[in-house]
Amino acid sequence: MEEWPKSWAGSPSDEVLGRELVRVLRPFVIALEQQGLSSQTLRRHVDGVWLIGGEIVRRLNDEPASSRRPARALLLEAVEGGEALLVSGLAQEEQEEVDATARKLRRFLSSSGR
């Protein structure tokens, strides 16, 4: 997860936001690891979290004013309604997998108050 901000970044300011997103996402990934999921299921959710974070950063390049909002608020907005932001280039089946991760993330963020 330490490399995620760089992988999402188009500019140095994107890395700052990326680090904040990772700070909020890390407890979720740890919680997933503690659930005893199969390695394949865990990998799918971790990939989904990475895609959600990357899509937030990408979209904020189009809406720079939104980047001043807290990372947690951006994540909650991104998974609102139990679906993730549409990720460019994903097939419908892949998007549905990201949506499944979004539902888990939304429940986690809503219940944890983090």
Side-chain angles (χ1 to χ4, degrees):
M1 292 183 75
E2 297 304 318
E3 296 301 316
W4 288 5
K6 284 185 182 189
S7 71
W8 295 330
S11 70
S13 64
D14 291 344
E15 283 190 53
V16 173
L17 172 60
R19 284 191 294 276
E20 285 299 308
L21 289 169
V22 167
R23 183 186 60 74
V24 176
L25 290 167
R26 186 179 312 282
F28 173 66
V29 171
I30 291 168
L32 289 174
E33 290 171 341
Q34 294 171 345
Q35 289 179 10
L37 302 171
S38 73
S39 60
Q40 182 179 6
T41 300
L42 179 60
R43 179 83 251 157
R44 190 174 64 243
H45 285 307
V46 170
D47 289 348
V49 169
W50 180 80
L51 285 167
I52 291 167
E55 191 61 22
I56 289 170
V57 172
R58 188 190 72 72
R59 288 184 183 209
L60 288 179
N61 282 312
D62 295 335
E63 305 167 20
S66 294
S67 65
R68 290 182 225 124
R69 295 179 51 221
R72 185 176 187 284
L74 293 169
L75 282 164
L76 280 168
E77 183 178 298
V79 297
E80 189 174 54
E83 294 182 345
L85 298 169
L86 290 177
V87 179
S88 177
L90 287 188
Q92 182 176 347
E93 181 179 304
E94 294 168 317
Q95 182 68 47
E96 289 170 0
E97 289 180 1
V98 176
D99 290 344
T101 300
R103 285 187 290 278
K104 283 185 166 290
L105 178 58
R106 186 177 63 111
R107 281 191 302 271
F108 179 84
L109 291 173
S110 295
S111 68
S112 68
R114 294 178 185 175

